[in-house]
Amino acid sequence: MSQRVTDEGVRKDMEEIRNGASSRKHGDTLSHIHRVESPPKQTLFKEIKYSVVETFFPDKPLHKFKDQSFFRVFVLALQSFLPIFEWGRDYNLKKFRGDFISGLTIASLCIPQDIAYAKLANLDPQYALYTSFVTPLVYAFMGSSRDIAIGPVAVVSLLLGTTLSDEISDIKSHEYLRLAFTATFFAGVIQMALGVLRLGFLIDFVSHAAVVGFMTGSSITIALQQLKGLLGIKNFTKKTDIVSVMRSVFSSAHHGWNWETIVIGLSFLVFLLVAKYIGKKNKKLFWVAAISPMISVIVSTFSVYITRADKKGVAIIKHVKKGVNSSSAGEIFFSGKYLGPGIRVGVIAGMVALTEAVAIGRTFAAMKDYPLDGNQEMMAMGAMNIVGSLTSCYVSTGGFSRTAVNNMAGCKTAVSNIVMSMVVLLTLLLITPLFEYTPNAVLASIIIAAVLGLVNIEAIILLWKIDKFDFVACMGALFGVVFINVEIGLLIAVIEKSGQDSEKGFSFLAYSIWTFHYYAGGYIIF
């Protein structure tokens, strides 16, 4: 009965609303029915304007300058461009203590890593040390992340080594070095441009699934490349695909392996992996894993020196140039036949470096619950690579391993990067000659131990369980890197992400055109 009365009441209320009434009471039932106005019709221009604002200026960057004095506008602009002037006001001795300890810790990790990563880029060791001296200083003033530790990383080093050697086969030539500086310069330019033009959303073209596949494939490729140093092979393929690498390894098994090198490499690899396991098992012992690369370098160098194992076929570094960076501003190609390749390699390396840094920065910012300005990060990365290219550095970014160590060591701000930079400077000025007898096998062990952490089997299994299409994108990137090369793996990752999103279909077309012209030998785009 009550249901019937209610239905009748609603019917009558609707009739009265049509006559201008707003509500009516029926017995114990009170109906409140309000007229909802339809939203005003938007013109095409307003819709485009709204989309542009939401895409490029969601944080309203100019809002804080409104109704401010000229001096206040200048201060706010300075703080926006150099965030250190904002958070630096609250800096104190307690924070410096944490930054000092973490800076020393990551320096002990980065120095041996840098020497090893330089080999991936086919450059002399000092250029990686130069990179860990200059670029962290620039980032400390401009970056918005408290945790990222800046320097050369394995994936970008390998990418540069493979792409640059495709252009100039003589990796010891001066032109090769100049091309590396050129690629670094244009990597910085593209990163800076993305930040200034607020185009950070372009990073979304590479999905999490694609990043997992690309990083896993790259780590496998890097580890396989280290078999040359680990086994003491002298004649080794320059290709990075697994088939070429394994063919090169087994073809030299009977005459090209050096047993002294194998003993040194495997011994220190086991030591590094055990130290890494201890640090992972007990977070308070993270420093064991952090200093293990430096211990490996010191012990192996001393052992080779006193036994003169280098006389028995154990390959050593031989020479690390002493002193600080020299200017390389006049070495960059701004014209000529290497300009196009320099731009192309720089854009690819810059995007990979930026993707890795943004992924790391967002992860640790979420863990510590502080804001991370993506566009500011891009400008900071761009500025440090531009400055680096002018001071004999190559492409730099935030590294997974050293950032994790920096966080666990108790860093508070980006000052830890400054401390690390000063330690590297002292190394360049005082102790680089001591690395002369460091065996290449130990550097190979350090790289293998570092990149194994990038193999994320759990994430791949989770992708299979959650989203089969993302799994396909992940495996496409992985197999592209492992069976072809790093460039193709990255290209597959981007194209597959673009194919998932119909609204961003233009990216698929753009990269398809890029691929065609690249393999056709014509650099129309670049």
Side-chain angles (χ1 to χ4, degrees):
M1 181 67 177
S2 60
Q3 182 65 40
R4 181 180 62 80
V5 172
T6 302
D7 292 342
E8 290 179 356
V10 171
R11 180 177 55 78
K12 292 180 179 180
D13 281 344
M14 294 300 293
E15 291 177 354
E16 290 185 356
I17 285 174
R18 294 190 186 96
N19 297 327
S22 61
S23 64
R24 183 179 178 183
K25 185 176 181 181
H26 294 274
D28 296 331
T29 303
L30 184 64
S31 300
H32 295 280
I33 303 177
H34 302 277
R35 185 186 298 276
V36 178
E37 298 289 340
S38 60
K41 188 176 181 180
Q42 297 288 335
T43 64
L44 179 61
F45 174 77
K46 288 184 177 180
E47 289 182 358
I48 294 175
K49 179 182 177 181
Y50 176 79
S51 298
V52 169
V53 170
E54 284 298 305
T55 301
F56 294 97
F57 308 103
D59 54 344
K60 299 180 180 179
L62 299 179
H63 182 72
K64 60 184 177 181
F65 297 105
K66 189 177 180 181
D67 300 327
Q68 299 290 342
S69 64
F70 176 79
F71 178 75
R72 183 60 180 164
V73 168
F74 174 78
V75 171
L76 290 173
L78 185 64
Q79 291 176 349
S80 296
F81 187 69
L82 301 172
I84 193 172
F85 288 108
E86 182 175 2
W87 56 260
R89 294 177 300 174
D90 301 323
Y91 199 73
N92 52 45
L93 186 61
K94 183 179 179 181
K95 290 182 179 179
F96 178 73
R97 190 182 301 117
D99 288 334
F100 183 74
I101 294 173
S102 58
L104 291 178
T105 306
I106 57 176
S108 68
L109 172 66
C110 84
I111 292 171
Q113 277 189 348
D114 287 349
I115 296 173
Y117 291 162
K119 287 189 172 294
L120 290 176
N122 299 319
L123 295 171
D124 292 333
Q126 66 267 18
Y127 294 108
L129 293 173
Y130 294 160
T131 303
S132 283
F133 162 50
V134 173
T135 57
L137 288 177
V138 179
Y139 181 84
F141 281 84
M142 295 189 64
S144 61
S145 172
R146 305 172 190 170
D147 299 279
I148 286 183
I150 299 297
V153 297
V155 174
V156 176
S157 298
L158 175 67
L159 179 62
L160 281 176
T162 54
T163 52
L164 294 179
S165 60
D166 287 341
E167 302 297 336
I168 301 177
S169 58
D170 184 6
I171 59 175
K172 297 298 182 181
S173 66
H174 188 62
E175 284 73 19
Y176 182 91
L177 182 62
R178 291 186 64 186
L179 188 59
F181 296 149
T182 304
T184 302
F185 176 81
F186 286 106
V189 168
I190 189 65
Q191 291 171 337
M192 177 71 83
L194 289 173
V196 172
L197 300 176
R198 307 184 69 81
L199 297 174
F201 65 88
L202 293 178
I203 296 296
D204 294 335
F205 279 127
V206 183
S207 66
H208 171 68
V211 170
V212 169
F214 177 74
M215 288 298 179
T216 301
S218 297
S219 61
I220 294 172
T221 299
I222 292 168
L224 291 174
Q225 285 281 306
Q226 300 319 300
L227 292 176
K228 174 186 177 181
L230 201 67
L231 302 176
I233 302 173
K234 294 182 179 179
N235 298 320
F236 200 74
T237 180
K238 293 183 179 180
K239 297 180 180 179
T240 60
D241 63 281
I242 187 171
V243 176
S244 299
V245 170
M246 297 313 296
R247 184 185 292 121
S248 183
V249 168
F250 289 118
S251 64
S252 59
H254 298 292
H255 56 84
W257 294 13
N258 181 278
W259 72 267
E260 291 94 344
T261 301
I262 295 174
V263 170
I264 293 172
L266 291 181
S267 299
F268 284 100
L269 178 59
V270 171
F271 168 70
L272 290 165
L273 293 177
V274 170
K276 195 172 184 178
Y277 176 79
I278 293 172
K280 187 176 180 181
K281 204 71 175 175
N282 189 341
K283 299 299 183 184
K284 293 182 180 180
L285 297 177
F286 72 90
W287 54 270
V288 174
I291 66 172
S292 59
M294 182 60 77
I295 292 175
S296 299
V297 168
I298 294 172
V299 174
S300 65
T301 302
F302 181 72
S303 300
V304 170
Y305 178 74
I306 62 174
T307 62
R308 296 315 306 263
D310 57 306
K311 300 292 186 181
K312 300 176 182 178
V314 175
I316 58 176
I317 292 179
K318 293 183 179 179
H319 179 66
V320 180
K321 187 177 178 181
K322 186 178 179 181
V324 296
N325 316 37
S326 58
S327 174
S328 57
E331 302 291 333
I332 299 173
F333 290 113
F334 288 109
S335 61
K337 65 177 182 178
Y338 292 123
L339 175 60
I343 296 174
R344 178 177 59 81
V345 174
V347 169
I348 296 171
M351 293 299 290
V352 172
L354 198 56
T355 302
E356 183 171 347
V358 170
I360 296 171
R362 286 176 177 173
T363 299
F364 285 94
M367 285 172 54
K368 290 190 174 181
D369 192 26
Y370 65 84
L372 186 76
D373 189 335
N375 291 303
Q376 181 64 33
E377 285 296 288
M378 293 175 187
M379 288 192 289
M381 295 285 169
M384 73 183 191
N385 280 314
I386 291 174
V387 173
S389 69
L390 304 176
T391 53
S392 302
C393 305
Y394 72 92
V395 181
S396 177
T397 187
F400 280 105
S401 57
R402 67 182 70 186
T403 299
V405 169
N406 193 32
N407 174 262
M408 289 187 288
C411 71
K412 303 300 180 184
T413 68
V415 171
S416 61
N417 277 289
I418 298 177
V419 175
M420 176 188 70
S421 175
M422 293 298 101
V423 175
V424 174
L425 174 61
L426 292 175
T427 301
L428 284 166
L429 292 174
L430 302 174
I431 65 174
T432 50
L434 300 180
F435 293 116
E436 180 179 349
Y437 288 93
T438 301
N440 290 337
V442 167
L443 301 180
S445 300
I446 291 172
I447 293 176
I448 292 173
V451 299
L452 285 181
L454 301 179
V455 179
N456 199 339
I457 303 299
E458 293 82 1
I460 295 175
I461 294 173
L462 187 62
L463 286 171
W464 169 258
K465 293 178 179 178
I466 295 176
D467 192 323
K468 298 297 189 292
F469 198 95
D470 275 350
F471 175 79
V472 172
C474 173
M475 299 309 293
L478 192 157
F479 288 133
V481 172
V482 171
F483 288 98
I484 308 177
N485 59 42
V486 178
E487 279 185 284
I488 295 301
L490 178 64
L491 207 60
I492 291 173
V494 175
I495 290 176
E496 286 179 334
K497 171 59 180 173
S498 303
Q500 292 180 49
D501 192 345
S502 59
E503 293 181 359
K504 298 174 182 177
F506 69 89
S507 177
F508 180 88
L509 177 61
Y511 276 92
S512 298
I513 295 173
W514 182 89
T515 308
F516 171 79
H517 285 296
Y518 172 65
Y519 286 100
Y523 300 101
I524 292 179
I525 293 180
F526 299 124

